[in-house]
Amino acid sequence: MSNVSSHIKSEKLKLKRYSFKFYYQPYSKKEAKHQLIYVALDTNIIIDMVHILDGTSHNKKSPQYYASLKQLLERSILSKNHARNKKGDVVFCVTPTVLKELSNENGEIYSCVRNFINNRTVVLQIDESYQRYFRKKIDKMSEEYYNAGFFREKNGELTNDALITAESLYFNLTLLSRDSHISIDRHDKNPQRKIEKIKSINRRMLSSDFNGNQAEPRRLNNFFIEVEKCRKQERLMPKLENSDCLHIETQRIIYDINHNQPIRTHEIKRNLGKSK
């Protein structure tokens, strides 16, 4: 994530518009009747989504990628002002490490992404009573990834990507990322090996097979393919797990979403990224 700070600071940069004419297909309301799909967003996905909402792109060489992002945004359960999107079926979640990457040293969310985080996502804030257990579990999972040869800096240090991956998969959330260190690297001789090894580590570390619906890191195009496969074969996408360790207000937001209730403005959401 070495380019995160440069992306954050470029919010005032003038960016050229891009076209979805060739790649983009509007999302049908009929699809919204299916199971709600909880996903975790990597830092780079969030930053690029903000550019989508601004109507701009800083990488016009990837029109298919940005068209897929726009389609994903249309499927979001939450829209601007934290309102429910009636045709949405995807719930965007933000894990603790991703939130940290998008915040300054005082823990305040950068202004360019604050509205997106507060209004369009569920921030997975860990309850204080579970903090120690959660951090120990995530650190151990990350260590296992490292020992398997993944998520290593050139100097040998563990990367934040390991923590982001562990936090997402702890909750059994599909992690959407375009980072080849996290998702499949097409240049690898056996691209799927890393994913299968990570899933194997998670099953052992969490003592669970997630009822046969185990989440994994995915690129956007692969995610949409998997959603379509599940729809045709009438099987479920991975379900949110281990939510009992979340702050009670976060659990209430999830309850509202799952039970098609008006999404209340909870104190935890109002305070996220608020200036001191």
Side-chain angles (χ1 to χ4, degrees):
M1 300 295 176
S2 58
N3 294 326
V4 170
S5 59
S6 61
H7 285 313
I8 293 293
K9 294 178 182 178
S10 67
E11 59 175 308
K12 295 183 180 179
L13 188 65
K14 292 183 178 179
L15 304 173
K16 295 183 179 180
R17 292 186 176 275
Y18 53 86
S19 173
F20 300 117
K21 187 175 181 180
F22 180 76
Y23 296 105
Y24 176 61
Q25 294 183 356
Y27 168 55
S28 169
K29 288 185 178 182
K30 293 181 181 180
E31 296 181 48
K33 296 180 181 180
H34 298 289
Q35 169 208 4
L36 291 183
I37 304 169
Y38 281 77
V39 299
L41 303 180
D42 192 12
T43 306
N44 52 25
I45 294 289
I46 292 175
I47 292 171
D48 290 340
M49 279 185 165
V50 171
H51 289 306
I52 289 282
L53 294 171
D54 289 341
T56 58
S57 168
H58 60 279
N59 189 355
K60 62 181 180 180
K61 293 182 180 180
S62 302
Q64 186 174 9
Y65 165 71
Y66 285 105
S68 295
L69 270 184
K70 189 174 189 294
Q71 184 181 14
L72 185 64
L73 275 166
E74 287 194 347
R75 296 182 72 149
S76 172
I77 278 288
L78 299 175
S79 59
K80 60 182 180 180
N81 301 322
H82 211 221
R84 178 182 289 275
N85 173 16
K86 293 181 179 180
K87 68 176 184 177
D89 67 342
V90 180
V91 182
F92 298 156
C93 297
V94 178
T95 59
T97 298
V98 168
L99 186 66
K100 186 176 180 180
E101 288 193 339
L102 294 171
S103 304
N104 62 24
E105 60 275 9
N106 296 320
E108 300 166 350
I109 302 173
Y110 290 112
S111 60
C112 57
V113 295
R114 185 179 302 148
N115 285 338
F116 181 90
I117 297 295
N118 287 342
N119 295 327
R120 297 176 183 266
T121 75
V122 175
V123 176
L124 301 181
Q125 183 157 331
I126 311 302
D127 189 81
E128 186 176 352
S129 62
Y130 278 92
Q131 281 286 356
R132 185 174 179 181
Y133 170 82
F134 178 75
R135 285 267 57 94
K136 184 177 180 180
K137 181 66 72 173
I138 296 304
D139 288 345
K140 186 60 179 176
M141 291 169 67
S142 300
E143 181 183 341
E144 291 291 320
Y145 301 159
Y146 184 89
N147 292 338
F150 309 129
F151 307 118
R152 296 184 178 188
E153 295 278 15
K154 291 182 179 180
N155 61 7
E157 291 185 0
L158 185 72
T159 69
N160 268 359
D161 294 339
L163 300 176
I164 291 170
T165 301
E167 289 171 356
S168 301
L169 302 184
Y170 174 83
F171 292 107
N172 200 36
L173 297 175
T174 299
L175 173 56
L176 298 181
S177 175
R178 75 183 305 200
D179 189 334
S180 60
H181 294 104
I182 291 179
S183 57
I184 285 179
D185 187 344
R186 301 184 183 94
H187 298 292
D188 286 346
K189 291 183 180 179
N190 184 359
Q192 193 63 28
R193 174 186 168 275
K194 175 179 67 178
I195 302 300
E196 292 304 323
K197 182 61 177 178
I198 288 173
K199 290 171 68 176
S200 174
I201 290 171
N202 292 343
R203 287 194 295 271
R204 176 165 51 83
M205 294 296 300
L206 300 172
S207 302
S208 174
D209 65 355
F210 301 103
N211 295 318
N213 295 300
Q214 187 179 7
E216 63 185 70
R218 293 185 183 275
R219 291 179 179 269
L220 279 180
N221 60 337
N222 181 258
F223 169 73
F224 285 123
I225 290 172
E226 186 65 17
V227 170
E228 186 63 18
K229 282 183 179 179
C230 288
R231 188 182 69 80
K232 289 182 177 180
Q233 298 174 13
E234 296 184 349
R235 59 186 177 89
L236 299 176
M237 288 289 288
K239 287 187 176 182
L240 174 67
E241 302 279 355
N242 297 320
S243 59
D244 54 342
C245 76
L246 296 173
H247 192 285
I248 186 62
E249 297 294 352
T250 305
Q251 292 190 48
R252 286 175 180 169
I253 291 171
I254 292 172
Y255 179 91
D256 288 346
I257 292 172
N258 290 343
H259 293 82
N260 200 28
Q261 298 292 325
I263 302 169
R264 293 161 286 180
T265 305
H266 299 298
E267 194 67 32
I268 191 172
K269 298 294 289 185
R270 291 199 298 268
N271 288 339
L272 279 171
K274 206 170 185 179
S275 299
K276 296 181 180 180

